[in-house]
Amino acid sequence: MATYLEFIQQNEERDGVRFSWNVWPSSRLEATRMVVPLACLLTPLKERLDLPPVQYEPVLCSRPTCKAVLNPLCQVDYRAKLWACNFCFQRNQFPPAYAGISEVNQPAELMPQFSTIEYIVQRGPQTPLIFLYVVDTCLEEEDLQALKESLQMSLSLLPASALVGLITFGRMVQVHELSSEGISKSYVFRGTKDLTAKQIQDMLGLSRSAISMQQGRPLQTPEQPAISSRFLQPVHKIDMNLTDLLGELQRDPWPVTQGKRPLRSTGVALSIAVGLLEGTFPNTGARIMLFTGGPPTQGPGMVVGDELKTPIRSWHDIEKDNARFMKKATKHYETLANRTAANGHCIDIYACALDQTGLLEMKCCANLTGGHMVMGDSFNTSLFKQTFQRVFNKGYNGEFRMAFGANLDVKTSRELKIAGAIGPCISLNAKGPCVSENELGIGGTSQWKICSLDPSTTLAIYFEVVNQHNAPIPQGSRGAVQFVTQYQHSSMEKRIRVTTVARNWADAQSQLQHIEAAFDQEAAAVLMARLGVYRAESEEGPDVLRWLDRQLIRLCQKFGQYNKDDPNSFRLSESFSLYPQFMFHLRRSPFLQVFNNSPDESSYYRHHFARQDLTQSLIMIQPILYAYSFHGPPEPVLLDSSSILPDRILLMDTFFQIVIYLGETIAQWQKAGYQDMPEYENFKHLLQAPLDDAQEILQTRFPMPRYIHTEHGGSQARFLLSKVNPSQTHNNLYAWGQESGAPILTDDVSLQVFMDHLKKLAVSSAS
Amino acid sequence: PPAPGSAPADPSAPPPRALGPPPLGPVGAAPRAEARPCPEERECSVSADTVLAPLRAALDSCRPSVQKQVCNDIGRRLTVLEEAWAQGKLSAPVRKRMSLLVQELQQQHWDAADEIHRSLMVDHVNEVSQWMVGVKRLIAETRNLPDAATDGSAEPEPEPKTETKSGQEE
């Protein structure tokens, strides 16, 4: 049997898809007994440097309820120029352009190596990309200066044809009219009163003329310069003036008395931004980029009052129902987020402050639209500056990585239905034969909209096997899924990425071992984790953990080999062996454990977890630990307290932090200054090695991780100590045969204890 | 790289009341990525004029076809650049890269010049933000001049922009 690991990897590289199961149980009943649902992680715009796009329209199945795209799984009659849709079996005529095809002259979309293929299509006029800066001026002088410089810098990084706009806010909200001459003007709004989209458009003088209403087309600057171009101008025309305008921005002039927070009208500022774009450029790629240095304290969407003695809500407050503003504020931002997503725009949040800024209430703005969420201590840090630069990163082909307005349509063969999706998207409420009544994640649809995405954006899509138990599936037949993503490329081109995949069905009764062998434990862990984190948004924390534990026990009962009531006999096959460990670390992760994090921090972590690809998601669940010592080359080691040794340097990558930890002896050598002595140059090299490796990660990842350099006994060592499996604690210090390693002072269970409990429960005939 | 002959640290060694030294390594081991002496620092003798003169010449060539206010704006910023240079406010890397930018501009390598401007904005924004947008605009306008040759790269000559037309209407 070929290794499934290779199969899994090849498929991921080619199609950007990882399934929890790669051989599918052929009946609904059996599928539910598998515990882990049939689901996949999909990276719709996975970077494929070897995939040149084709410049023609995709061929579609003619059945109106199907419209699947021609793909390598379709049967083709080259003589009669007919093809049979593999989803609905409709026979379709090839369009005239395909008259010359034959077995030896296949179009690309029929070749197996093009299971993923990209089309560039001409569909209407190209609409510009828009970048609307929404800037908080209630910042400290240094912070504001750094932010201004970053914004000025970003003007050089924008796509040349992009439109830009500027809204600043503090106690009032100012919409700046951008003109290339004379006095700069702005429209000022009170920050206390929310306005409808129509009111905003009227006040800004944006009401559409009757003519453009009849034409029903989006307004375009060259033809109607008077209407929209006052607030949104092409960057190549307005860059000098906007640079000056940004340079002249002042701190919010309203004085802040002792014991008070500045009055910050974030809710109204965002509302105006959304209304402005809604009225001028609906349905084109746009980023509303919110830069904020503190919580909203005024008007709709306020998260805390202006008295400093009233702290911003903590998890404790929320649990005790003591967060007065939370519900109303969340509703305000949810309404804005839904409107923004419906318009095809996205909202980025760049929040830099020492205290919380209201990410908990505002998170839907980024989560529903696919916008970014960046959290830092100050705009005057390299974490913010470099992360912000990376928003405008280009891929290896010199094109911007950001893409807009994606519409993902999923089709399945008739034995499967779609239960839902979890990721930075909204539902398009597309009903049809593929849609299941049982919802997992965002369900009730086979289409979702992702307003902003890049080559790493990954959705989790959950399926349901609907084939009845007594309706056997023919031997050797395969189920199929097609993912069709239409989107606006950064060059304003409209593109369509089509991925069609298939897997074998198998009868779970007689062929369980095949199904087992094709289990992808990494994908399954991330898919279950996303379900858990999704639940955690609406359920109590302990309930989510109980659910996760129950699923794990059931999985072990089904797939473990054991003798009843004999825990020591319990074994898991290789394709399942890491799964319990992933679940152990997931239970301890900041995604499910909110203790020790603020609500904003939890929202930030969950935001990134719901959109990263599999590799990064696994790092988040179970951080990677590397050890550097004189005993050999750098190597990955167990995420365990026994890995913490005095003569080692550890590098831990949690995705959000890079922690370098010097063991006790190393730290003492460093304090003694051995690295400065020429004869101990190798010690200097040893100290430098993890720093170099850390830099590689720090320079490339989005968002840039926090960099923590600490040592044995340092207060920041807690970042490492709280993550490692506490196999040695103050409770078992004198247990048998324990190698050295730092005991962790915790009452958390260790992986060993967890596994012991798990085995006991799995083999018990009482469960 | 660890010393091959070093004795492994003894895990049960007593607490470092007497802290022994780290294991010795071979002296003069292969140097790791030491910071190379910055090449820009060796040649910091770029004169202001070698940069400013070609920029002003490019600006002059734009004056017939580009809006007067835009040209004046660019000119103003070139003056800011000149003053900053004269007062020694610009670091060596900035001066060096500006001279490279100007060379690319003179050879009509528009994309390369643009790339250098971007890298300066990203790496040295606090030094260049006041005037760099003028240089950026100068590159864009010079490249659009009717008699400008196309870049050596595959970048097609951009169409005369409608915005320029509407600008002239104002």
Side-chain angles (χ1 to χ4, degrees), chain A residues 208-225:
Chain A
R208 290 162 174 253
S209 63
I211 300 166
S212 58
M213 281 287 274
Q214 283 160 19
Q215 288 174 343
R217 276 187 295 136
L219 299 169
Q220 294 178 40
T221 10
E223 286 145 13
Q224 323 238 15

Side-chain angles (χ1 to χ4, degrees), chain A residues 149 152-153 155-156 180-181 236-237 239-240 243-244 389 630-631 647 668-669 674 679-680 682 685 689 692, chain B residues 2 8-9 16 19-25 32 69 77 117-118 121-122 125-126 129 133 136-137 161 170:
Chain A
E149 281 175 2
Q152 287 170 328
M153 173 215 63
L155 294 181
S156 285
S180 21
E181 59 197 61
H236 64 81
K237 187 176 167 204
D239 51 6
M240 293 203 284
T243 300
D244 289 340
Q389 279 170 29
F630 288 117
H631 304 311
D647 60 344
Q668 284 164 344
W669 282 335
Y674 282 104
E679 62 272 31
Y680 292 104
N682 61 334
H685 294 323
D692 292 341
Chain B
L19 173 67
L24 279 170
R32 302 213 58 222
Q69 195 195 328
R77 289 169 209 268
H117 124 255
R118 253 195 293 275
M121 269 302 254
V122 166
V125 62
N126 46 4
S129 61
V133 66
K136 172 196 184 211
R137 195 58 179 271
K161 298 208 176 0
E170 281 163 21

Side-chain angles (χ1 to χ4, degrees), chain A residues 554-620:
Chain A
R554 285 179 58 211
L555 189 74
C556 290
Q557 286 172 332
K558 171 90 180 171
F559 292 102
Q561 293 111 37
Y562 53 92
N563 302 322
K564 272 223 164 354
D565 294 313
D566 180 9
N568 290 324
S569 66
F570 184 87
R571 300 279 176 277
L572 276 176
S573 70
E574 212 176 313
S575 48
F576 289 82
S577 57
L578 296 177
Y579 186 84
Q581 189 180 314
F582 289 136
M583 290 301 110
F584 169 74
H585 285 287
L586 176 64
R587 293 171 95 260
R588 286 156 56 86
S589 71
F591 311 110
L592 297 183
Q593 290 289 353
V594 299
F595 168 74
N596 209 32
N597 287 123
S598 66
D600 276 12
E601 281 170 329
S602 302
S603 304
Y604 174 71
Y605 295 138
R606 287 174 178 171
H607 159 91
H608 286 285
F609 187 70
R611 62 177 57 192
Q612 281 295 338
D613 63 31
L614 182 136
T615 309
Q616 305 303 315
S617 300
L618 283 180
I619 294 176
M620 293 187 207

Side-chain angles (χ1 to χ4, degrees), chain A residues 584 588 725-729 732 747-755:
Chain A
F584 169 74
R588 286 156 56 86
N725 171 33
S727 58
Q728 189 177 20
T729 70
N732 64 357
D747 288 324
D748 286 353
V749 297
S750 67
L751 178 59
Q752 293 83 327
V753 173
F754 179 78
M755 287 303 297

Side-chain angles (χ1 to χ4, degrees), chain A residues 195-493:
Chain A
L195 301 163
T196 63
K198 180 149 196 323
Q199 284 172 314
I200 294 165
Q201 286 152 27
D202 286 343
M203 286 167 137
L204 292 175
L206 295 172
S207 308
R208 290 162 174 253
S209 63
I211 300 166
S212 58
M213 281 287 274
Q214 283 160 19
Q215 288 174 343
R217 276 187 295 136
L219 299 169
Q220 294 178 40
T221 10
E223 286 145 13
Q224 323 238 15
I227 296 183
S228 56
S229 61
R230 290 184 299 137
F231 305 107
L232 300 162
Q233 287 267 11
V235 65
H236 64 81
K237 187 176 167 204
I238 207 64
D239 51 6
M240 293 203 284
N241 293 76
L242 188 50
T243 300
D244 289 340
L245 185 53
L246 287 168
E248 287 155 12
L249 284 183
Q250 301 285 328
R251 279 181 74 181
D252 188 63
W254 299 92
V256 182
T257 51
Q258 190 82 293
K260 296 261 196 177
R261 298 186 175 91
L263 288 174
R264 201 179 266 111
S265 323
T266 320
V268 173
L270 266 184
S271 196
I272 292 174
V274 173
L276 168 60
L277 284 183
E278 197 170 57
T280 51
F281 288 96
N283 303 318
T284 185
R287 308 199 82 88
I288 298 173
M289 306 171 90
L290 172 68
F291 300 87
T292 180
T297 46
Q298 176 176 259
M302 71 185 274
V303 157
V304 68
D306 65 337
E307 296 271 343
L308 273 173
K309 65 177 189 245
T310 316
I312 195 170
R313 76 285 171 283
S314 63
W315 279 119
H316 185 77
D317 292 323
I318 295 170
E319 271 162 39
K320 298 282 180 240
D321 213 13
N322 194 23
R324 338 188 346 221
F325 303 103
M326 192 179 76
K327 278 207 181 60
K328 253 187 93 185
T330 308
K331 183 148 194 305
H332 175 82
Y333 295 111
E334 270 176 6
T335 312
L336 280 182
N338 278 303
R339 265 172 64 200
T340 310
N343 296 328
H345 305 147
C346 79
I347 300 176
D348 294 339
I349 305 176
Y350 303 93
C352 286
L354 291 172
D355 198 358
Q356 297 183 69
T357 52
L359 288 177
L360 177 74
E361 289 83 354
M362 295 193 285
K363 65 184 183 217
C364 47
C365 290
N367 292 346
L368 296 187
T369 65
H372 299 305
M373 188 189 285
V374 173
M375 187 179 79
D377 288 339
S378 144
F379 290 108
N380 198 17
T381 56
S382 56
L383 188 144
F384 166 71
K385 292 181 196 181
Q386 295 198 36
T387 302
F388 184 51
Q389 279 170 29
R390 289 172 203 173
V391 172
F392 306 97
N393 267 356
K394 297 185 175 176
Y396 290 106
N397 49 9
E399 297 174 335
F400 284 95
R401 287 168 57 93
M402 58 172 113
F404 298 87
N407 178 317
L408 170 64
D409 188 352
V410 181
K411 297 193 199 310
T412 61
S413 45
R414 64 200 155 96
E415 305 92 354
L416 280 181
K417 285 198 194 231
I418 300 162
I422 296 179
C425 60
I426 56 163
S427 162
L428 283 172
N429 286 309
K431 308 292 179 197
C434 295
V435 178
S436 164
E437 277 166 14
N438 299 316
E439 293 190 18
L440 278 176
I442 303 170
T445 180
S446 62
Q447 285 187 33
W448 298 265
K449 191 177 196 179
I450 313 162
C451 297
S452 159
L453 71 172
D454 63 42
S456 69
T457 307
T458 301
L459 262 69
I461 302 173
Y462 299 86
F463 300 96
E464 192 191 4
V465 178
V466 295
N467 205 44
Q468 290 308 312
H469 200 55
N470 49 8
I473 292 185
Q475 189 76 298
S477 70
R478 302 203 290 171
V481 184
Q482 186 173 76
F483 307 97
V484 180
T485 309
Q486 300 186 48
Y487 69 100
Q488 182 181 21
H489 189 258
S490 61
S491 62
M492 301 185 291
E493 276 171 352

